[in-house]
């Protein structure tokens, strides 16, 4: 019985019992705080974690969890202070530095976020934490338009664990760098998980069109345009009243040589947005592709009014006038196109128009 114990021993036992009860109470408080956190009740969870750190100011994990509660409540300034306190207490915990970086990112203090991540990276020992670091750093780098570094981190993160959101972001980064073939590859993988995502389909089709435009390989060009058309058709099916989707569909079909399909899509875009210059230009080219030269001329002259410095408009008008045997007008527009942006097509058109005009003069034919 405790009453029969020596007084010193009895005092020690009472002290131990008091500590045990306090520890039990603290553990119960922690369990309750975690339960609220897991349930998404940030207000109650933050109150419980605040009580824990008030009672034990050196409780580093309590400060860390309080930081996450505050962050989810939209209070990043206070969250940053909690994470900073956790880091001060335990500098060797990489998750604490990551939390501080999250708060800085939420505050749009991207340089500070990168600094916190740099401090924590040497402490990372497992792939799960490495993935979290890479993803947050990629998002931060993207926010300050360091696309190449962001793409590098995203590729490393995807190698650890693939995720459609990361593939989507990688596609955005590669598009921003002008690496449209890499962007198309990433977006294609993202679409496997989210096949009906309209934004993914839109950017995938656009990237493929740009791949097709930039490649000199005819087979690759045809394949890219075919894929772009297929993606644009799916987008149109999901968003039939979207003028931008219709314009994209028309652009893809025009590149693929599907002139009637392009005409229908571009006419739909213009019905929603009358006078839209890109759609007007491409509708003129679609009509030209079908040999409807007078209609093409009218549309392209309209386009020349809204886009007087677009070389493709003048080059297309040169082609229309050449086919109409109006060689002086063809020469005029080919020269305009060449002056805006030199191209083999414009130069060839200039030379061909000169030859026809010279031939006409030599034969004494009437000018048209």
């Amino acid at each position: 019985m405790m009453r029969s114990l020596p007084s010193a021993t009895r005092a020690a036992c009472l002290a131990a019992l008091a500590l045990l009860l306090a520890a039990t109470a603290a553990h119960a408080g922690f369990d309750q705080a975690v339960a609220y956190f897991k349930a998404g009740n940030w207000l109650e969870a933050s109150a419980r974690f605040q009580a824990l750190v008030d009672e034990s100011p050196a409780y580093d994990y309590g400060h860390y969890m309080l930081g996450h509660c505050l962050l989810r409540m939209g209070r990043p300034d206070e969250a940053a202070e909690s994470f900073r306190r956790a880091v001060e207490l335990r500098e060797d915990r990489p998750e604490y530095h990551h939390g501080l970086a999250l708060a800085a990112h939420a505050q749009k203090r991207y340089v500070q976020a990168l600094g916190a991540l740099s401090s924590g990276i040497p402490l990372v020992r497992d792939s799960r934490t490495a993935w979290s670091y890479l993803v947050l750093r990629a998002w931060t780098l993207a926010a300050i338009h360091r696309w190449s570094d962001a793409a590098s981190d995203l590729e490393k993160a995807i190698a650890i664990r693939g995720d459609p959101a990361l593939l989507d972001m990688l596609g955005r980064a590669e598009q921003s760098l002008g690496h449209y073939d890499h962007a198309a590859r990433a977006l294609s993988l993202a679409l496997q998980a989210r096949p009906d995502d309209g934004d993914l389909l839109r950017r995938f089709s656009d990237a493929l069109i740009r791949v097709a435009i930039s490649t000199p390989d005819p087979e690759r060009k045809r394949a890219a345009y075919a894929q772009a058309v297929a993606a644009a058709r799916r987008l149109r099916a999901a968003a039939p009243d979207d003028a931008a989707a219709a314009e994209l569909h028309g652009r893809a079909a025009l590149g693929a040589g599907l002139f009637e399909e392009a005409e229908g899509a571009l006419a739909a875009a213009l019905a929603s947005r009358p006078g839209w210059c890109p759609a007007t230009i491409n509708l003129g080219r679609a009509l030209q592709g079908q040999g409807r030269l007078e209609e093409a001329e009218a549309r392209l002259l309209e386009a020349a009014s809204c886009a007087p410095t677009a070389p493709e408009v003048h080059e297309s008008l040169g082609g229309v006038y050449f086919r109409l045997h109006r060689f002086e007008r063809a020469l005029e527009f080919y020269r305009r196109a060449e002056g805006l942006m030199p191209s083999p097509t414009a130069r060839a058109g200039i030379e061909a128009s000169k030859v026809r005009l010279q031939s006409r003069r030599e034969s004494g034919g009437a000018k048209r």
Side-chain angles (χ1 to χ4, degrees):
M1 301 288 269
M2 185 174 289
R3 190 172 297 169
S4 64
L5 294 173
S7 59
T9 306
R10 187 164 58 249
C13 289
L14 288 171
L17 179 60
L19 286 172
L20 178 61
L21 291 172
T24 302
H27 190 272
F30 175 81
D31 287 345
Q32 194 172 38
V34 169
Y36 280 125
F37 186 87
K38 289 181 177 178
N41 190 340
W42 317 124
L43 183 61
E44 290 294 342
S46 67
R48 297 302 188 276
F49 281 118
Q50 184 67 63
L52 289 170
V53 297
D54 286 344
E55 189 174 313
S56 303
Y59 183 27
D60 55 287
Y61 192 73
H63 288 286
Y64 170 71
M65 290 302 297
L66 177 58
H68 275 296
C69 293
L70 292 166
L71 199 56
R72 283 163 172 76
M73 291 165 67
R75 293 156 61 181
D77 294 352
E78 296 168 73
E81 288 304 313
S82 290
F83 287 128
R84 191 171 291 111
R85 181 60 180 146
V87 169
E88 289 169 355
L89 291 165
R90 287 287 303 275
E91 292 185 356
D92 62 327
R93 298 291 292 270
E95 64 269 31
Y96 294 178
H97 295 274
H98 186 271
L100 185 56
L102 278 172
H105 189 280
Q107 294 170 298
K108 299 186 188 309
R109 295 177 178 172
Y110 301 121
V111 174
Q112 289 184 19
L114 291 173
L117 290 168
S118 294
S119 297
I121 281 174
L123 307 171
V124 173
R125 297 289 181 269
D126 63 277
S127 61
R128 181 177 178 180
T129 307
W131 186 88
S132 298
Y133 263 77
L134 288 165
V135 170
L136 180 55
R137 191 168 66 177
W139 251 249
T140 306
L141 290 164
I144 56 176
H145 299 162
R146 286 174 54 182
W147 296 112
S148 182
D149 292 331
S152 176
D153 276 354
L154 287 164
E155 287 173 352
K156 292 172 187 172
I158 290 165
I160 295 170
R161 189 176 83 229
D163 183 283
L166 297 187
L167 290 162
D168 183 356
M169 188 64 186
L170 178 58
R172 291 176 189 272
E174 296 290 7
Q175 281 179 304
S176 298
L177 290 165
H179 301 162
Y180 297 109
D181 51 346
H182 295 166
R185 190 177 306 118
L187 294 169
S188 175
L189 292 170
L191 278 165
Q192 291 178 13
R194 288 154 42 187
D196 299 319
D197 187 311
D199 185 56
L200 280 176
L201 286 167
R202 191 184 308 273
R203 288 186 294 109
F204 180 52
S205 183
D206 182 74
L208 287 165
I209 291 170
R210 294 173 187 273
V211 168
I213 290 170
S214 64
T215 182
D217 183 341
E219 286 299 320
R220 192 177 178 210
K221 189 182 291 287
R222 277 193 291 273
Y225 272 128
Q227 284 184 281
V229 171
R233 285 171 181 161
R234 286 163 58 192
L235 177 62
R236 287 288 306 284
D241 300 322
D242 185 332
E247 190 276 337
L248 178 65
H249 180 194
R251 206 160 15 109
L254 179 64
L258 304 171
F259 300 121
E260 290 185 13
E261 183 174 338
E263 179 193 356
L266 293 162
L270 286 166
S272 296
R273 289 179 59 179
W276 190 10
C277 206
T280 302
I281 294 169
N282 286 324
L283 179 55
R285 296 170 73 187
L287 292 166
Q288 180 184 9
Q290 295 177 70
R292 292 157 59 183
L293 301 178
E294 287 80 6
E295 295 174 76
E297 178 192 12
R299 284 292 185 177
L300 290 167
L301 287 172
E302 182 185 344
S305 297
C306 67
T309 60
E312 65 270 22
V313 174
H314 301 287
E315 191 172 281
S316 294
L317 275 166
V320 166
Y321 288 127
F322 191 91
R323 290 176 66 184
L324 289 170
H325 295 181
R326 295 169 61 181
F327 301 120
E328 287 184 349
R329 288 285 276 169
L331 180 60
E332 175 189 349
F333 280 97
Y334 277 133
R335 280 175 170 164
R336 287 186 191 178
E338 179 71 4
L340 290 165
M341 182 180 290
S343 75
T345 301
R347 286 193 292 274
I350 289 169
E351 294 306 315
S353 298
K354 285 180 178 179
V355 168
R356 291 301 185 95
L357 285 168
Q358 181 63 30
S359 175
R360 181 173 287 171
R361 281 193 290 270
E362 289 173 355
S363 64
K367 294 181 180 179
R368 294 183 65 183

